[in-house]
Amino acid sequence: MGYSSTVESWLEYWAENIAKPYVSENTYDGYEVDVRVHFVPVLGAHRLDRLEPEHLERFYRKMQASGNSAGTAHHAHRTIRVALGEAVRRGHVVTNAAEIAKAPRLEEEDIEPYTIEEVQSLLVEAAKRRNSARWVVALALGLRQGEALGLHWEDVDLAAGYVRIRKNRIRPKYAHGCGANPCGRKAGYCPEREQTRREHKSTKSRAGRRTIGLPDPLIKILRQHQVAQELERIAADADWEGKGYVFASPVGGALSPNTDFHTWKRLLRDAGVRNGRLHDARHTAATVLLILGVPDVVIDSIMGWEPGGAARMRARYMHVTGTMLRKVAASRRRSLGAPRNGLRDELRRKLRRTTTKGPAASSGALRHRAR
């Protein structure tokens, strides 16, 4: 592979042989989509050594004109910048055109943490559902989705009052398992589908690997969640997968990030709270910590921010209404306790049934709760 190589041949070689063995599955998926969907159809036939910054700038504009977001175009820019950087390092090209080209402009997103009234509504509604502690953790600790879904009980010490963030849930990927009788569906919907990707990975950054102290109300909620999960284990009997996830399926398996996302959307709707991203729950937690006056170094550790960008992240999270933030800070402890009594009473009823009537009664209660 030399100066006469095409953009297509280099990007495909780079993605499969250089990037794939060394980056995470999610990162590789992003690279692969950029190469296959965006670059190859438009710039693939172009000679690598004749690729100019202007070619890329026109390409980014066409991407956005055809309906792609600025974020998608910016991701493509980052992908080819890394790929061309490797081409320069290996002597295939002299300069990295993507380093010179102007990247697509990204508007910085507005930070809109939920108000204390919205948080309370979400927690009260969450208490009616299984895995209700999932949403308390999101709003109180600001864990990223992958961190929350990758949390294992071995990383939780309720007696000492802390959790260790060490694993990330990975988006599942499937292959057909229907063999000689194709089902005609996408791989993810194949009745005989086979998972081709591990369920979780270790948190890669040093800042991401962290220990977080738990407030007392959250410790109590997680204890209640532990009891509820034990009842599900009894109900599932031999079907229990027992993978150790804190937030698991009704039979102890890993939760799908996509299912988790749609559960969040239903929670917002049923709680009568404005629509928002799952990441907005993380914004809320970060804002509360800032307004409570928690030291910067502690906030950075809790949120898992890298040292180089932590100050910028804190500055962004402070661009919200001061009155609302004071209200959030004053009510944080109260809001964490809002759903506790309802959940506690529900679990007590279930435990009482288990004690007096045996596992069969608890199984029926759990099936009713799941509905």
Side-chain angles (χ1 to χ4, degrees):
M1 186 170 297
Y3 284 102
S4 61
S5 298
T6 62
V7 170
E8 177 180 3
S9 62
W10 170 249
L11 289 183
E12 289 181 344
Y13 178 85
W14 166 80
E16 187 66 24
N17 299 284
I18 301 174
K20 188 175 184 178
Y22 298 102
V23 301
S24 72
E25 289 93 332
N26 289 346
T27 299
Y28 170 74
D29 281 352
Y31 287 161
E32 192 275 333
V33 168
D34 285 338
V35 170
R36 174 175 51 83
V37 175
H38 300 304
F39 285 111
V40 168
V42 180
L43 293 175
H46 209 96
R47 274 184 52 168
L48 188 66
D49 63 321
R50 294 183 180 176
L51 186 66
E52 301 290 341
E54 293 77 15
H55 295 137
L56 294 176
E57 290 162 349
R58 286 194 292 270
F59 168 75
Y60 302 145
R61 287 197 297 272
K62 286 180 180 178
M63 278 188 69
Q64 294 177 77
S66 64
N68 290 290
S69 69
T72 300
H74 201 275
H75 190 282
H77 170 75
R78 294 199 304 271
T79 295
I80 199 164
R81 185 179 62 196
V82 174
L84 292 180
E86 186 64 29
V88 170
R89 195 174 75 83
R90 295 178 179 222
H92 299 319
V93 293
V94 177
T95 59
N96 184 339
E99 290 283 2
I100 303 170
K102 291 290 185 182
R105 182 178 178 181
L106 284 178
E107 295 293 336
E108 193 162 84
E109 61 182 353
D110 291 331
I111 302 298
E112 294 187 41
Y114 289 106
T115 66
I116 190 60
E117 291 81 10
E118 289 173 323
V119 170
Q120 287 177 316
S121 295
L122 285 168
L123 294 179
V124 169
E125 182 61 34
K128 304 173 186 177
R129 304 161 184 255
R130 69 175 302 275
N131 276 343
S132 59
R134 158 75 180 100
W135 309 113
V136 184
V137 164
L139 291 161
L141 298 183
L143 298 189
R144 300 174 178 91
Q145 184 192 43
E147 294 171 343
L149 298 189
L151 197 61
H152 285 62
W153 283 114
E154 66 184 10
D155 299 321
V156 179
D157 191 328
L158 296 179
Y162 68 82
V163 297
R164 292 176 296 178
I165 309 303
R166 301 190 299 176
K167 303 180 183 73
N168 262 303
R169 176 73 169 101
I170 300 174
R171 288 193 300 270
K173 190 172 185 179
Y174 302 99
H176 281 282
C178 43
N181 301 304
C183 64
R185 305 177 185 180
K186 291 184 178 179
Y189 297 95
C190 174
E192 305 296 328
R193 68 184 185 184
E194 300 172 354
Q195 187 159 314
T196 59
R197 176 179 288 173
R198 54 184 173 158
E199 288 183 347
H200 60 82
K201 63 174 182 176
S202 298
T203 303
K204 64 180 181 180
S205 71
R206 182 173 297 179
R209 295 189 297 273
R210 61 201 189 276
T211 299
I212 302 175
L214 299 172
D216 289 341
L218 188 51
I219 292 175
K220 293 180 180 179
I221 289 170
L222 285 171
R223 287 192 190 280
Q224 294 164 358
H225 174 68
Q226 211 169 27
V227 172
Q229 192 177 91
E230 175 62 15
L231 292 176
E232 290 187 330
R233 185 192 67 77
I234 295 170
D237 197 17
D239 292 331
W240 183 254
E241 296 182 30
K243 295 186 174 181
Y245 286 104
V246 174
F247 305 116
S249 73
V251 293
L255 287 177
S256 164
N258 188 52
T259 300
D260 184 69
F261 169 79
H262 288 295
T263 301
W264 168 253
K265 291 296 185 179
R266 286 195 299 272
L267 179 62
L268 292 173
R269 181 196 64 207
D270 295 345
V273 172
R274 62 187 163 90
N275 189 30
R277 303 163 306 162
L278 180 51
H279 205 68
D280 289 335
R282 179 169 165 80
H283 292 329
T284 301
T287 299
V288 169
L289 292 169
L290 284 163
I291 298 307
L292 284 174
V294 176
D296 289 350
V297 66
V298 177
I299 294 175
D300 299 345
S301 175
I302 291 173
M303 299 303 293
W305 288 334
E306 294 283 0
R312 179 180 59 83
M313 294 299 293
R314 286 194 302 272
R316 289 186 57 213
Y317 278 80
M318 286 300 292
H319 287 297
V320 288
T321 306
T323 303
M324 184 274 290
L325 293 180
R326 288 192 295 273
K327 204 170 183 181
V328 170
S331 306
R332 181 174 185 262
R333 186 179 182 86
R334 175 165 54 86
S335 69
L336 277 176
R340 190 173 67 209
N341 292 339
L343 180 58
R344 181 188 61 202
D345 293 344
E346 181 185 1
L347 292 173
R348 280 179 174 172
R349 285 195 298 272
K350 289 175 181 174
L351 283 171
R352 194 177 302 118
R353 291 174 193 151
T354 305
T355 304
T356 57
K357 299 182 181 180
S362 68
S363 175
L366 285 167
R367 284 196 296 272
H368 174 74
R369 184 174 178 228
R371 290 197 295 269

